[in-house]
Amino acid sequence: NNYQGGNILISSVVTDPIIRTSGLNYENFITEGSGKYWTESLKEPENYVKYIIMTSDPRDSIKNHADLNKINSKYNLVAEYYSVQIFKIK
């Protein structure tokens, strides 16, 4: 309901149901299958994505490979549902 356009970085390994039920265009999601955009978004998310969806699941690739300090400095936590956190660029 609060989506305002832009790309979303999300680990499809653990959040595929969120992607499928979101009603958003699949082209807006950057996942492990997005090739170089995935790799670059983990390094410099602010250059590629407006939103980051991360979970506490130990298999979450974002939590395991992204610079969490960078995410916390460049993004605001805008929603939290159970184990899912949604960040939006500042």
Side-chain angles (χ1 to χ4, degrees):
N1 291 336
N2 297 313
Y3 178 70
Q4 298 173 344
N7 289 329
I8 303 163
L9 181 64
I10 188 168
S11 174
S12 63
V13 171
V14 293
T15 57
D16 187 56
I18 292 172
I19 296 170
R20 287 187 285 114
T21 61
S22 70
L24 301 176
N25 189 324
Y26 287 179
E27 292 177 359
N28 293 95
F29 292 98
I30 295 179
T31 68
E32 292 89 342
S34 299
K36 74 173 186 167
Y37 293 108
W38 169 258
T39 305
E40 293 300 318
S41 294
L42 289 175
K43 292 178 191 171
E44 301 291 336
E46 67 277 10
N47 293 336
Y48 297 92
V49 299
K50 188 171 184 178
Y51 297 91
I52 298 172
I53 299 176
M54 189 168 40
T55 73
S56 61
D57 189 299
R59 299 169 297 156
D60 190 300
S61 298
I62 298 169
K63 184 178 80 169
N64 292 329
H65 300 291
D67 182 343
L68 300 181
N69 290 324
K70 184 175 281 192
I71 290 173
N72 288 325
S73 70
K74 305 267 182 184
Y75 290 80
N76 289 320
L77 178 65
V78 294
E80 192 164 10
Y81 304 98
Y82 303 101
S83 67
V84 177
Q85 296 178 318
I86 302 173
F87 297 86
K88 183 179 178 187
I89 199 160
K90 292 181 180 181

